[in-house]
Amino acid sequence: YKVCPGYSINFKQHNLQIFDKDPENALIGNYRNCYAGFSTDYEIRYNSSSGGLVTQLLLFALRKGIIDGALVTRMKKDKPLEPEPFIARTREEIISASKSKYCPVPANIAIKEILEKEGKYAVVGLPCQIHGIRKAEEVNSKLRKRITIHFGLVCNHTPTFHATEYLLYRLGIPKDKVAGIDYRGKGWPGGMTIRLKDNSCNYVHHFASEYWGLIFLKFFWPWRCSLCDDKINELSDISFMDAWLPKYLTDKAGRSFVVSRNTVGENLLHKASLEGEIEVNNVT
């Protein structure tokens, strides 16, 4: 109850605790710099939601010993319509969790492993998930010490599980025939790839009426999402989002907007850029 973000979140208190000051920008929150960028590994960039920066920065932090693992999410192999939050500790595991998951994700269940196993961890979450983690760190010093990086995904809302089920129904695909789902990927803005047990695939473009124009309707919004007051994830160390500016709309490989909010986020971006693992440019 104390750490539930649905119960309450004191932005003023958390901003002072995390950043030592109130935000100067009411829309963005506390920030150091804003960038547009992408992974220089084209395979990661092309097969991510928008540029692959989250995946590439996690790989960089793991390789450099900055973290020992990362709380991320993939879809279950045996239940492909259900998300699986877990602690990724290898390159392969981090890459397996790339791309967006357009369904409810119980990220809190993976926190138990962080508490049980020593190390330094990154967490990747939506605003509400980062809220809960920041609140949990307040009451648990072990968690506060072990979580060293907070990656925040910008979010409008999370579609319910009914959204995916209805999309499959509209496509005439029985749920028990699905072997795997990628909600994003194959360039930008990309689309959904549905792999079937007979080894065939269905691809639905991001802007297809059956996809973006259907499952993102407010009919499939959880009620809690209508109460959200932090779309941009202002309590994270770095926020990531699609680059929806006219000058980038022709970039079919993918590019992210990034908001670095403190020294932790700024230093990580700077180091990865210097080593050529990412390319970022200031956005004003």
Side-chain angles (χ1 to χ4, degrees):
Y1 183 70
K2 287 182 179 179
V3 305
C4 176
Y7 164 60
S8 70
I9 181 72
N10 189 324
F11 285 101
K12 182 177 180 63
Q13 172 187 322
H14 285 285
N15 271 285
L16 291 174
Q17 289 176 342
I18 299 166
F19 307 109
D20 295 322
K21 62 178 181 177
D22 287 325
E24 296 178 5
N25 188 302
L27 295 178
I28 299 177
N30 274 298
Y31 73 99
R32 295 283 297 273
N33 283 295
C34 297
Y35 302 100
F38 49 86
S39 166
T40 55
D41 183 322
Y42 186 80
E43 186 173 351
I44 289 176
R45 181 183 181 187
Y46 185 78
N47 290 299
S48 297
S49 293
S50 57
L53 277 183
V54 172
T55 299
Q56 193 66 59
L57 287 170
L58 289 176
L59 291 173
F60 176 77
L62 184 68
R63 183 170 63 83
K64 288 294 186 178
I66 299 171
I67 60 172
D68 300 300
L71 194 166
V72 292
T73 302
R74 62 191 170 195
M75 304 304 286
K76 293 181 179 179
K77 289 184 178 180
D78 57 338
K79 297 179 180 179
L81 300 184
E82 294 184 20
E84 179 186 18
F86 72 107
I87 304 300
R89 298 180 181 274
T90 67
R91 175 182 175 87
E92 292 72 25
E93 288 178 338
I94 288 174
I95 291 176
S96 76
S98 65
K99 310 178 188 72
S100 301
K101 311 297 183 294
Y102 291 139
C103 60
V105 174
N108 58 302
I109 64 175
I111 292 176
K112 183 178 181 181
E113 185 175 339
I114 295 177
L115 290 170
E116 291 176 344
K117 297 182 180 180
E118 291 188 13
K120 297 171 292 184
Y121 297 90
V123 294
V124 181
L126 302 176
C128 53
Q129 294 163 344
I130 297 298
H131 296 170
I133 288 170
R134 289 292 196 184
K135 293 184 73 176
E137 290 171 7
E138 280 186 0
V139 299
N140 192 306
S141 59
K142 184 185 293 185
L143 200 63
R144 183 167 61 251
K145 180 180 178 181
R146 292 181 180 178
I147 297 178
T148 58
I149 306 173
H150 305 75
F151 280 4
L153 307 175
V154 168
C155 177
N156 181 50
H157 74 285
T158 295
T160 64
F161 288 112
H162 294 301
T164 301
E165 292 175 3
Y166 187 61
L167 184 147
L168 293 173
Y169 168 77
R170 286 285 297 270
L171 295 174
I173 301 174
K175 292 190 294 183
D176 60 359
K177 301 296 184 183
V178 177
I181 284 182
D182 289 331
Y183 284 94
R184 295 284 296 274
K186 294 189 176 180
W188 189 86
M192 173 188 280
T193 300
I194 305 166
R195 299 181 300 280
L196 305 182
K197 292 178 180 178
D198 63 4
N199 294 322
S200 63
C201 285
N202 286 60
Y203 178 75
V204 187
H205 192 273
H206 191 65
F207 291 127
S209 60
E210 294 88 355
Y211 188 23
W212 187 262
L214 177 68
I215 71 171
F216 291 93
L217 295 175
K218 286 194 174 182
F219 185 81
F220 294 112
W221 280 39
W223 180 76
R224 173 62 177 83
C225 289
S226 67
L227 303 177
C228 179
D229 51 5
D230 179 21
K231 302 293 188 183
I232 203 166
N233 222 320
E234 69 172 83
L235 299 184
S236 62
D237 298 311
I238 315 177
S239 293
F240 301 84
M241 66 205 86
D242 283 89
W244 292 106
L245 274 186
K247 64 185 292 186
Y248 299 124
L249 296 184
T250 57
D251 182 353
K252 300 304 180 182
R255 190 181 302 254
S256 297
F257 283 150
V258 185
V259 179
S260 71
R261 302 190 177 279
N262 53 20
T263 302
V264 173
E266 186 71 13
N267 286 348
L268 182 62
L269 288 164
H270 182 67
K271 290 176 182 177
S273 179
L274 282 178
E275 296 209 14
E277 297 208 10
I278 64 171
E279 181 177 316
V280 290
N281 299 289
N282 283 86
V283 175
T284 57

